[in-house]
Amino acid sequence: MGGSLAGLLAAHVLAGHVDRVTVVERDRYPQGAQPRPGVPQGRHPHVLLKGGQTALESLLPGFLTELREAGAPRVGMPEDMVLWQSGRWFRRVSATTHIYTGSRAQLEELVRRRVLADPVISVLEATDVVGLLGDATRVRGVLVRDRSGEARAKPRPLEADLVVDASGSGTKAAQWLTAIGAEPPHEETIDTGLAYASRVYRGTDGALDGETRGYYAYPDPEQVHAGGALPLEDGTHLVIVSGLRGDEPPTGDDQFVTYAKRLPHPLLHRWLDGAEPLSPAFGYRRTANVRRRYDLLGRPAGFLATGDALCTFNPIYGQGMAVAAMSAVALREALADRRRTPTTRRVQRALLAASRLAWDISAGADRKMPGAVGTATDGGSADRFAGWYLSRVQERAPGDPVVGRAFRAVLTLSEPVTALFAPPVARAVLFGPPAPTPTEPPAAPEKPGSPVS
């Protein structure tokens, strides 16, 4: 259910184990790399973190080469970016990791082309899933309805040995499970009320060209406004600004630029004043973290959830595409494990584990934001200790290359959180003072041996 990134990659994995995979997608796929209604965040910034790159390359060998050849910008962190967090500018030392910042539409179109070339996989486009078949013990298929013809087309059954929900954050699986007498998942939620708006610009003064590929200021409890500009595949930049509940960014032309004044430095506002807008501003407000616990006892067999249908993260952290790919790898490994029978619950637990690090990062950060509400806002005493330690990591990451390398490795989902407790990192975090950082936005990467100014 769902033919976006998570659904396509799950279909690709399942195609190695079954005779037929059917992807049910409510949209008609566009010709080429174009946004579509079924991806509500499609016009907003997306990044492919290192963990997602590794996963995609494992699933679709040669994919990263295709992505680069399509023009997707590969941005070195922190060398290529002007970055601000918790009151400090990051030193622009040599990159220890890279992210891809091209459009979501481009990346998904490349995945779609590769996956749907498999004759085992077919797609029902312009088709809604409107319910499940089965009972409290097992899901046996779905009810589908054609969206392309008569408005009141009659639902028809589509039987299946396994149903995978990849329908995104708007999933209706809980209601459908209840309707067949099955138990819906328990939901853990954390919602800061964060909202953002995005708009495409072409720069005219070169401030975000050459040695500087992009800019980003991250939010924190003391500075809740955030934003930045990330490069796209066509040489433009996608600009985002964000705020919390009650102070949402506007989408009007002048108001969008004015809102950038709320950021902790006028750098982005000055650039916007001289840049050429190429699109309207689009807003987005559904940014709660939601984790659905299908791994608990009592759920029916024959039903799995993956991607945002399983675990939705505040999009400001850029984790969704990476977790979709990492979840597909987890699905592949669970199905290939000859030591254990791949029961529904065992595979679902593997999918949940693939999203755990991203959840810990996103939920852990959002718990500290003012006005956060939900069922999982209290992380307990262990979370409070972790918060104390991580606050010291964040103080030191902008200026200390050792701490910064570990910090970026965890944030990009390429290393477990234990990387932050490695002896060299722990010594710097627990016993060393924060290293000096630039007092103004660094205009160029550091040269070896140059002093921090």
Side-chain angles (χ1 to χ4, degrees):
M1 300 191 292
S4 291
L5 195 62
L8 290 168
L9 294 175
H12 172 71
V13 170
L14 291 171
H17 296 269
V18 298
D19 297 325
R20 184 174 69 254
V21 179
T22 303
V23 177
V24 183
E25 169 52 49
R26 72 185 313 271
D27 286 343
R28 285 202 178 278
Y29 285 130
Q31 295 296 317
Q34 298 296 324
R36 56 189 180 84
V39 185
Q41 297 160 244
R43 297 182 183 273
H44 298 281
H46 282 73
V47 297
L48 182 62
L49 304 177
K50 180 63 176 179
Q53 296 169 35
T54 302
L56 269 171
E57 188 66 18
S58 172
L59 293 162
L60 304 172
F63 181 80
L64 295 181
T65 297
E66 291 182 26
L67 194 60
R68 288 192 295 272
E69 289 175 349
R74 183 173 181 262
V75 178
M77 303 286 280
E79 183 175 6
D80 295 337
M81 294 278 289
V82 173
L83 299 170
W84 183 97
Q85 186 174 30
S86 301
R88 314 189 82 197
W89 297 104
F90 277 71
R91 293 174 56 188
R92 292 179 62 182
V93 297
S94 296
T96 61
T97 190
H98 291 79
I99 60 174
Y100 285 91
T101 65
S103 67
R104 163 65 182 258
Q106 181 196 60
L107 187 142
E108 186 177 300
E109 195 270 338
L110 291 173
V111 170
R112 187 166 64 239
R113 187 191 311 164
R114 288 281 298 271
V115 170
L116 297 187
D118 188 335
V120 172
I121 301 172
S122 60
V123 183
L124 293 178
E125 296 181 67
T127 303
D128 278 327
V129 175
V130 296
L132 298 175
L133 304 175
D135 52 37
T137 61
R138 186 172 190 86
V139 173
R140 294 180 171 83
V142 295
L143 284 170
V144 299
R145 183 167 57 200
D146 187 2
R147 301 180 72 239
S148 62
E150 184 184 344
R152 296 184 180 275
K154 185 178 179 180
R156 60 183 177 87
L158 179 63
E159 294 184 354
D161 297 304
L162 174 68
V163 173
V164 179
D165 183 8
S167 59
S169 58
T171 176
K172 297 179 181 177
Q175 301 95 295
W176 296 337
L177 287 166
T178 301
I180 62 171
E183 188 174 349
H186 169 70
E187 290 190 354
E188 301 168 336
T189 62
I190 303 172
D191 186 4
T192 65
L194 181 138
Y196 55 86
S198 307
R199 194 177 190 188
V200 179
Y201 282 84
R202 187 180 302 280
T204 57
D205 62 3
L208 289 179
D209 296 304
E211 292 187 297
T212 299
R213 307 289 303 282
Y215 163 75
Y216 208 87
Y218 294 93
D220 62 46
E222 284 71 45
Q223 168 57 47
V224 299
H225 296 98
L230 296 174
L232 295 174
E233 59 268 20
D234 61 358
T236 62
H237 281 79
L238 188 51
V239 175
I240 181 173
V241 290
S242 69
L244 298 187
R245 189 183 294 109
D247 189 20
E248 295 87 352
T251 56
D253 293 358
D254 294 337
Q255 297 94 326
F256 181 89
V257 175
T258 301
Y259 193 89
K261 290 182 177 180
R262 290 170 165 79
L263 270 63
H265 191 276
L267 178 83
L268 183 64
H269 181 259
R270 290 172 184 165
W271 185 80
L272 289 174
D273 261 347
E276 175 190 4
L278 299 179
S279 78
F282 296 91
Y284 192 77
R285 298 190 179 189
R286 292 177 55 187
T287 60
N289 303 278
V290 182
R291 183 160 64 173
R292 299 173 178 90
R293 300 302 302 272
Y294 287 103
D295 59 304
L296 302 178
L297 288 171
R299 275 65 190 179
F303 182 89
L304 297 173
T306 189
D308 282 356
L310 174 63
C311 199
T312 305
F313 313 99
N314 185 338
I316 207 76
Y317 303 110
Q319 302 165 316
M321 295 197 303
V323 172
M326 293 165 69
S327 297
V329 170
L331 176 63
R332 182 183 66 185
E333 292 176 352
L335 295 178
D337 187 350
R338 296 183 180 276
R339 299 169 299 169
R340 300 177 178 89
T341 301
T343 63
T344 300
R345 186 174 181 227
R346 183 167 287 145
V347 176
Q348 189 65 76
R349 291 172 71 178
L351 291 170
L352 186 74
S355 65
R356 185 165 292 128
L357 177 57
W359 173 267
D360 289 344
I361 292 169
S362 183
D366 278 4
R367 283 190 185 106
K368 304 171 191 172
M369 297 298 285
V373 297
T375 63
T377 53
D378 184 3
S381 58
D383 186 69
R384 286 189 284 275
F385 169 74
W388 173 82
Y389 187 85
L390 289 174
S391 69
R392 294 179 67 86
V393 170
Q394 289 179 341
E395 288 176 342
R396 288 153 180 79
D400 186 321
V402 173
V403 179
R405 174 188 289 270
F407 185 59
R408 286 184 291 276
V410 174
L411 290 184
T412 58
L413 309 180
S414 57
E415 294 286 346
V417 74
T418 52
L420 299 177
F421 296 90
V425 180
R427 280 195 297 270
V429 171
L430 294 174
F431 307 115
T437 55
T439 56
E440 290 293 324
E446 280 188 24
K447 296 179 180 178
S450 60
V452 178
S453 59

